[in-house]
Amino acid sequence: MENEQHERRKDIDYDAYEADFMEETAAEIAVPTSAREEHIHREHEVVDRDEGKGYGRFALILSILSLFFLPIILGAAGIILGFIARRKGAYTLGAWAIGIGIVSIIVGTFVLPFF
């Protein structure tokens, strides 16, 4: 009989203990996100892509100009800006600027002195 009473007290104590600590803790662990934060993040991605295209176009223009005059200076500037453009997301424009800049430097250094 005493065992049964003791078991009942345990059950009652356990239920009271569970009732005190029955909480949801997921809100404490996860940081809530909002749609506005995602929208702002997407706007920054679009700006970065356009900025990369601008760098890529400018790098390509410098590399093409380096074929006609100041091959080492403009070619090096085109190569550097080409790498920046590739990092900003304009992979094709950056690659073309790098390639044309390298060709311009090679031609300007090794071929043009003989003419």
Side-chain angles (χ1 to χ4, degrees):
M1 180 127 48
E2 288 178 22
N3 263 346
E4 289 177 18
Q5 287 178 352
H6 184 64
E7 289 296 321
R8 285 186 200 166
R9 284 185 191 161
K10 272 187 172 178
D11 290 341
I12 292 172
D13 290 341
Y14 184 71
D15 291 338
Y17 180 79
E18 275 190 351
D20 287 342
F21 293 105
M22 293 295 286
E23 299 175 354
E24 183 175 337
T25 59
E28 296 171 5
I29 296 171
V31 177
T33 60
S34 67
R36 178 165 168 69
E37 289 175 2
E38 292 175 13
H39 179 68
I40 291 170
H41 183 66
R42 288 181 188 156
E43 285 179 1
H44 286 298
E45 287 178 2
V46 171
V47 170
D48 289 344
R49 288 183 193 150
D50 290 341
E51 185 179 5
K53 287 181 184 179
Y55 277 115
R57 289 178 185 138
F58 188 56
L60 191 59
I61 290 169
L62 285 178
S63 294
I64 291 171
L65 286 176
S66 72
L67 292 170
F68 301 107
F69 57 93
L70 300 173
I72 295 175
I73 296 171
L74 292 178
I79 291 169
I80 292 168
L81 285 175
F83 278 111
I84 292 171
R86 285 181 54 97
R87 185 176 293 170
K88 297 279 186 180
Y91 299 108
T92 306
L93 286 171
W96 274 100
I98 292 168
I100 293 172
I102 290 171
V103 168
S104 175
I105 289 174
I106 290 172
V107 169
T109 304
F110 297 113
V111 177
L112 286 180
F114 297 112
F115 289 104

